[in-house]
Amino acid sequence: MAQKFSRTRTPSGLPALALGVMLGSAGTMTATPAFAIDAECAAAPEPVISLNYGSRYTDDDDTRSTLDVDSNEVVNAALRPVDDFIRDLVARSNGVLNESDPTSASGAADCVLAQIATWARADALSDLDSFTARLSMGARIGAIAEAYRQVRPLVTDLKAVADVDQWLIQRAQEQLEFWEKEATSGARTGNLRAWAALALLNIGEVTNTDTFVWWASASAVRILCTAREDGSLPQETKRGSYGLHYQFHALSPLVTIAARLDRAGLPMTTSCNNALPRVVEYAFNDFEQEGALTQEYSGVRQSYFDGTETLEDHELAFLEAYVSLFPNSPLVDRAQKTENLSNSKLGGDQRLLWQ
């Protein structure tokens, strides 16, 4: 279905109609009728409270680039219920943004809220009983927060809003403390720190918690400032055959954070000698050279070119945010030609969110 909302957008990047439903002519909050949740709104899946898993990689590989097949399957199995929940949730929140009828949109928004509230009231994702679980949870918490951010202006259940806000703030505080106190020095400048920063930006914006927004900004700049002159990220390029893979993986949260902060009047695109465009350009230049640049750093052929994997469209979903920052970039053409710029951990359809 084509986008039916006006393309005028609020500073948060959400469709203007979403806020308009809840605002009176003078711009003050007005009561909105409570709409029954649509019969198609299924109950949320069983909340995942505890997660405990080790690394995907072999213990004897300091570069964390050699997958342990059995461990990788254990991690995937543990995360599958969370990731399945996120994909369904984001599909629903995108559906809300695509809905032209305010009544239908509000009912669909309440459905998304009800599902998140089920997890919030169960204190989901509160028992992360391993270092690796805490390390990798930022992207998942951020994705849930982004789905919530998309529908928040249209929901009607204020008790559920309070419960979700409290839960998200608690998860965000735990992530902040983990990255400041427990994460290794290398991890603190890597892609998972960037994903955690995006999570705190999402939560900070939707709950009006400035501390989280500033921490997200500082974290993104800290990572970008590690970039070499050629734009490579040292923490990623040392990852053996997955060096270029993880350079791309870091771009999704870093570019999204930069684009969102730019809209909020907190530009960071020129920080550290224009690090953001340099790290993006490095990734695409190296891909065109079949990973030769990263191979110089890692010493091995890169995964995109050794038969291990291919560069998927969802890995390029950040391009919509990037071209909003750099509308004259040569990557505009790449964005236009990429069929599906959607990534559930970035909130789904990026064309819907950024155009």
Side-chain angles (χ1 to χ4, degrees), residues 48-50 122-128 167 171 174:
V48 176
I49 313 298
S50 302
D123 205 19
L125 308 178
S126 59
D127 182 21
L128 305 181
W167 175 67
R171 297 291 84 83
E174 290 164 356

Side-chain angles (χ1 to χ4, degrees), residues 113-131:
L113 174 63
Q115 294 205 338
I116 300 173
T118 298
W119 280 48
R121 289 162 179 160
D123 205 19
L125 308 178
S126 59
D127 182 21
L128 305 181
D129 197 26
S130 69
F131 177 87

Side-chain angles (χ1 to χ4, degrees), residues 3 17 38 49 56 70 88 110 123 145 156 167 179 187 204 261 266 276 292 301 313 317 322 325 346:
Q3 167 69 289
L17 179 58
D38 193 288
I49 313 298
R56 298 176 183 272
D70 293 336
D88 180 69
D110 275 337
D123 205 19
T156 64
W167 175 67
W179 286 102
L261 290 177
L266 300 169
L276 182 68
R301 189 158 175 79
D313 282 0
Y322 187 74
L325 288 169
L346 292 179

Side-chain angles (χ1 to χ4, degrees), residues 231-264:
S232 59
L233 293 170
Q235 184 63 17
E236 311 309 338
T237 56
K238 74 178 186 180
R239 299 287 297 276
S241 63
Y242 288 101
L244 182 56
H245 168 100
Y246 282 113
Q247 176 97 9
F248 270 107
H249 196 52
L251 297 182
S252 288
L254 290 174
V255 170
T256 304
I257 290 168
R260 290 263 296 283
L261 290 177
D262 191 77
R263 286 187 168 185

Side-chain angles (χ1 to χ4, degrees), residues 80-131:
R80 191 169 293 119
V82 182
D83 290 342
D84 287 348
F85 174 55
I86 288 169
R87 277 189 290 271
D88 180 69
L89 195 69
V90 167
R92 289 180 180 276
S93 66
N94 283 186
V96 172
L97 299 186
N98 263 320
E99 179 55 64
S100 61
D101 177 67
T103 300
S104 298
S106 185
D110 275 337
C111 177
V112 174
L113 174 63
Q115 294 205 338
I116 300 173
T118 298
W119 280 48
R121 289 162 179 160
D123 205 19
L125 308 178
S126 59
D127 182 21
L128 305 181
D129 197 26
S130 69
F131 177 87

